[in-house]
Amino acid sequence: MYILCKDGLWLMAYQPSGHKEIVGDGTMVDVPACLWGEQIHDAMAFDNRDLAAHIAKIVGAVIMKI
């Protein structure tokens, strides 16, 4: 399982925003609206590493394995 961290905050939830931007590799992707929080116990856990890596790349977060 994986969780995402950015600037000392943990990803609690996300959903598609409908807003598209170009990311580092030149692809156009939907940037999700994210909810960040301070409590690691409330962090959203990802079972799929590929999905966690995709979201982390878009929002600029770090993946942590738990």
Side-chain angles (χ1 to χ4, degrees):
M1 300 207 18
Y2 305 91
I3 56 177
L4 302 182
C5 179
K6 179 179 179 181
D7 299 328
L9 298 174
W10 305 98
L11 180 67
M12 303 295 171
Y14 76 95
Q15 70 178 31
S17 68
H19 177 73
K20 293 191 180 268
E21 290 185 7
I22 297 174
V23 293
D25 62 359
T27 59
M28 179 84 71
V29 295
D30 182 50
V31 178
C34 298
L35 176 65
W36 299 91
E38 296 178 349
Q39 298 296 323
I40 192 171
H41 304 292
D42 297 328
M44 178 180 186
F46 291 87
D47 291 328
N48 185 330
R49 187 182 191 317
D50 293 333
L51 177 59
H54 177 71
I55 299 297
K57 178 180 171 185
I58 294 170
V59 299
V62 176
I63 301 172
M64 302 185 92
K65 185 174 182 177
I66 55 172

